[in-house]
Amino acid sequence: MLQDKGLSESEEAFRATGPVLGGEANAANAANAPEPELAAPGLSAAALGSPPGPGADVAAVAEQTIENIKVGLHEKELWKKFHEAGTEMIITKAGRRMFPSYKVKVTGMNPKTKYILLIDIVPADDHRYKFCDNKWMVAGKAEPAMPGRLYVHPDSPATGAHWMRQLVSFQKLKLTNNHLDPFGHESQSDQGLVLHAGELEHIILNSMHKYQPRLHIVKADENNAFGSKNTAFCTHVFPETSFISVTSYQNHKITQLKIENNPFAKGFRGSDDSDLRVARLQSKEYPVISKSIMRQRLVSTQLSAKPDVSPLHGAHQALQHYQYENGAHMQFAAAEPQDLPLNTFPAQRDSSLFYHCLKRRADSVRHLDLPCKRSYLEAPSAVGEDHYFRSPPPYDQQMLSPSYCNEVTPREACMYSGSGPEIAGVSGVDELPPPPLSCNMWTSVSPYTSYSVQTMETVPYQSFPTHFTATTMMPRLPTISAQSSQPPGNTHFSVYNQLSQSQVRERGPTASFSRERGLPAVCERKPPSPHLNAANEFLYSQSFSLSREASLQYHSGMGTVENWTDG
DNA sequence: TCCACTACCACATTTGAAAAGG
DNA sequence: ACCTTTTCAAATGTGGTAGTGG
């Protein structure tokens, strides 16, 4: 079992994104960041202008708790390296892990309150990409989005103390392009999506599409179970974790980074004389470049019809000069095309973290009030399950998604000690000289296009379709942004939403329940546990309300629209 | 012909049970 | 008998590559 023994790097990474929820105002940073500061985290719903629904006083307590939670992306520097080169993630029929793996350090939780941590991966835009002339380019309209799904951390639910004790790792998560993935995934039927039991680690993606992982933290202690009143959750998005899914690596720089940093790929690190020579020629203790990488580079060089630049000093030569026009296009001018910086996001957003917080009151949703009373520490076997829920679809779609729940795999320890060599290894990475990344461009598309209130307002609720249509797949993050207190380069967006009881009744839960019960179970070995069902219902209802309430909030005049670009 | 995709490969790490030692 | 450490084989995770099919 991988052990995180060194907190230093983690803490550093956390500092980089720690104040995501505010509290450390940084004027210089505010000046750098493009987003206006609209609301400091921690503001009450009333302060933000949310409709003060019934029980707002009670909600305010939960709100404080959920808004105080801070999340730091582990190995942020490594993620940045990949992001600058244009992160690619291999997807296979059998499922492939993400690398870098998604690990976070969480603080600010109530130690005694139980939380559920989960991840979903949503389309970053509605384009299909191709890798042409050493850069990513839009190749057309996106395929219909795969049904969203949540990967729930197997330790969930667990106390805040448990989550904060060590790094929270989602490295077991696998990406697949198999639409009929048998390992814990649904297959299509005329009824919709059908649950499978078993290895529930896969998230289905389309190849050559851009995606954005999101972390959700759901409050679910025993007095505040799924669907019960005062349930709250928040969403954290690290833009540097966005990626393009591929079946084989397109950008050799990404291949290089993977080989250099992924222990499982050590076998591809060159070790013979020629490779060593390449490394020595760079006169740095830089990971050795394999022959295959060199071959790739040669090909790239030939393609670009320019003199090749050593992969090890390209970064030092590159003139990292970029322009970002209205978010629609970004490109870099550099001495060598293959060494140009590439970034999916404008530089100002590179380290930004979006924070979305939503609180729900559902006093009357009795059927959702299923307790999650088993303590993780007390009954690990009972709660140590991999839980798959239908993920909230992209914001435009979230209201269309059904509830989804599935059974379990043996418990897997996915949390790492916060102190140790695993992070020390990361530190080693950090010590490396700047790699010659970023030779490509992701053109024409700006992820998280501006939030369309009109769209949100006009999308009617409907039972979920088997496939989401590409026209509704844009994942628009909440646009009420709170630029705040970020270290340089970090941006923070915060949204607080409130859902009235009537809204809750009206929206997600009912629909999701009726939907789920109508699903034929295929290959289901065990009935889903009650709290999983409840969580599923809750999450669906929350994701449903998420998009709705975001628009509501916007119309409440609580802030300005975060205009990320509209490509 | 191109290219996304798959299956298989060699190599490395991870994992967990068994053995050994204190 | 119990606990810790070591050993080792199986399982698993990698990118590379050849082949396939649209």
Side-chain angles (χ1 to χ4, degrees):
Chain A
M1 187 62 200
L2 196 67
Q3 293 294 327
D4 288 342
K5 300 170 196 156
L7 253 187
S8 58
E9 191 276 345
S10 172
E11 288 170 340
E12 180 182 358
F14 177 67
R15 278 193 296 274
T17 58
V20 292
L21 301 185
E24 301 177 24
N26 183 322
N29 179 44
N32 290 337
E35 294 80 13
E37 181 162 1
L38 301 169
L43 288 180
S44 68
L48 289 172
S50 291
D57 52 339
V58 181
V61 176
E63 173 192 351
Q64 282 184 340
T65 299
I66 206 73
E67 288 192 352
N68 284 336
I69 296 176
K70 300 177 181 179
V71 179
L73 178 65
H74 180 56
E75 296 181 325
K76 193 178 187 71
E77 292 307 311
L78 183 60
W79 275 105
K80 280 184 179 178
K81 285 182 183 178
F82 278 88
H83 187 58
E84 289 166 1
T87 310
E88 299 171 22
M89 294 289 179
I90 292 279
I91 59 175
T92 68
K93 193 174 181 179
R96 198 80 147 192
R97 284 186 179 183
M98 293 174 65
F99 188 87
S101 54
Y102 201 102
K103 301 174 187 175
V104 295
K105 182 82 172 72
V106 184
T107 61
M109 286 178 164
N110 183 330
K112 294 184 178 179
T113 301
K114 288 187 178 178
Y115 300 90
I116 295 165
L117 267 64
L118 48 113
I119 280 184
D120 69 348
I121 299 177
V122 296
D125 53 44
D126 59 351
H127 295 96
R128 180 186 177 89
Y129 290 83
K130 64 178 178 182
F131 195 73
C132 185
D133 293 336
N134 215 28
K135 62 187 175 227
W136 285 103
M137 305 184 74
V138 171
K141 199 76 176 176
E143 298 290 322
M146 288 299 97
R149 179 181 294 106
L150 296 176
Y151 172 79
V152 178
H153 193 285
D155 287 357
S156 301
T159 62
H162 177 79
W163 295 119
M164 293 186 294
R165 186 177 306 136
Q166 50 204 343
L167 282 174
V168 182
S169 171
F170 292 87
Q171 70 172 7
K172 297 284 186 180
L173 168 63
K174 289 184 177 178
L175 310 177
T176 181
N177 58 352
N178 184 8
H179 297 194
L180 302 177
D181 179 63
F183 296 102
H185 293 276
E186 70 273 3
S187 52
Q188 307 287 341
S189 76
D190 55 356
Q191 292 276 342
L193 303 172
V194 181
L195 306 185
H196 289 266
E199 300 297 326
L200 311 179
E201 301 174 338
H202 296 184
I203 287 183
I204 302 174
L205 303 177
N206 281 317
S207 181
M208 312 304 273
H209 289 61
K210 191 191 293 183
Y211 290 96
Q212 174 67 64
R214 304 184 304 184
L215 171 69
H216 307 276
I217 299 176
V218 181
K219 187 179 178 184
D221 68 324
E222 56 185 289
N223 295 320
N224 198 8
F226 295 118
S228 67
K229 60 184 176 182
N230 303 326
T231 303
F233 79 93
C234 56
T235 298
H236 297 260
V237 178
F238 298 94
E240 58 265 53
T241 60
S242 65
F243 61 88
I244 290 184
S245 56
V246 297
T247 55
S248 62
Y249 290 123
Q250 308 293 305
N251 184 350
H252 68 272
K253 290 186 179 296
I254 291 299
T255 308
Q256 178 180 334
L257 279 170
K258 300 259 184 177
I259 290 174
E260 290 167 358
N261 295 284
N262 192 332
F264 283 105
K266 270 187 177 177
F268 301 100
R269 298 176 187 173
S271 59
D272 60 9
D273 290 346
S274 60
D275 287 345
L276 289 172
R277 196 178 311 123
V278 171
R280 292 193 190 104
L281 281 173
Q282 310 312 321
S283 64
K284 295 175 187 285
E285 288 188 358
Y286 199 72
V288 175
I289 308 302
S290 69
K291 288 178 178 176
S292 58
I293 294 298
M294 293 305 294
R295 270 199 303 273
Q296 276 189 300
R297 289 197 61 84
L298 284 174
V299 170
S300 299
T301 302
Q302 289 162 0
L303 283 174
S304 62
K306 292 205 172 190
D308 193 16
V309 172
S310 163
L312 300 180
H313 72 250
H316 304 292
Q317 291 189 346
L319 246 154
Q320 301 183 1
H321 180 48
Y322 71 89
Q323 60 184 87
Y324 181 72
E325 297 177 350
N326 226 6
H329 183 73
M330 175 178 65
Q331 70 182 73
F332 299 86
E336 298 295 338
Q338 67 270 37
D339 290 313
L340 297 176
L342 159 69
N343 203 324
T344 310
F345 299 86
Q348 297 95 323
R349 295 171 190 162
D350 231 355
S351 304
S352 63
L353 175 140
F354 298 82
Y355 171 72
H356 178 96
C357 178
L358 179 146
K359 173 187 296 301
R360 184 185 99 171
R361 288 163 198 75
D363 298 1
S364 60
V365 189
R366 296 282 180 180
H367 66 287
L368 291 181
D369 198 40
L370 299 176
C372 300
K373 296 184 177 178
R374 286 172 296 187
S375 159
Y376 162 71
L377 294 174
E378 292 170 355
S381 63
V383 296
E385 302 169 335
D386 281 351
H387 307 128
Y388 264 95
F389 304 94
R390 173 154 304 291
S391 159
Y395 282 81
D396 284 354
Q397 293 179 356
Q398 285 172 343
M399 60 194 74
L400 306 179
S401 177
S403 129
Y404 184 83
C405 174
N406 206 346
E407 252 311 55
V408 293
T409 58
R411 175 180 194 80
E412 292 172 321
C414 287
M415 293 189 65
Y416 299 142
S417 163
S419 59
E422 193 266 332
I423 302 187
V426 176
S427 299
V429 170
D430 291 340
E431 292 166 3
L432 293 173
L437 308 177
S438 323
C439 66
N440 305 299
M441 295 182 290
W442 292 11
T443 60
S444 304
V445 171
S446 169
Y448 301 113
T449 57
S450 66
Y451 177 83
S452 168
V453 174
Q454 183 60 37
T455 300
M456 299 304 294
E457 287 296 303
T458 55
V459 173
Y461 172 76
Q462 50 188 268
S463 59
F464 76 99
T466 302
H467 290 289
F468 299 110
T469 61
T471 55
T472 60
M473 64 185 293
M474 297 297 285
R476 295 180 173 88
L477 289 174
T479 56
I480 318 302
S481 64
Q483 165 77 47
S484 71
S485 45
Q486 300 296 317
N490 288 331
T491 309
H492 161 222
F493 302 85
S494 173
V495 171
Y496 171 79
N497 289 284
Q498 233 174 308
L499 196 61
S500 69
Q501 297 177 43
S502 59
Q503 284 171 320
V504 171
R505 278 193 297 270
E506 177 187 350
R507 295 171 187 172
T510 304
S512 77
F513 254 89
S514 59
R515 191 69 196 178
E516 177 173 325
R517 287 170 182 167
L519 294 178
V522 175
C523 300
E524 189 172 32
R525 297 166 197 157
K526 290 190 286 183
S529 63
H531 81 272
L532 291 186
N533 271 328
N536 187 28
E537 305 305 330
F538 167 74
L539 290 169
Y540 169 53
S541 65
Q542 292 290 28
S543 63
F544 173 76
S545 60
L546 185 66
S547 55
R548 285 288 196 151
E549 296 309 306
S551 65
L552 259 177
Q553 189 175 35
Y554 172 80
H555 285 297
S556 298
M558 294 164 51
T560 59
V561 172
E562 168 53 33
N563 227 345
W564 266 52
T565 67
D566 240 328

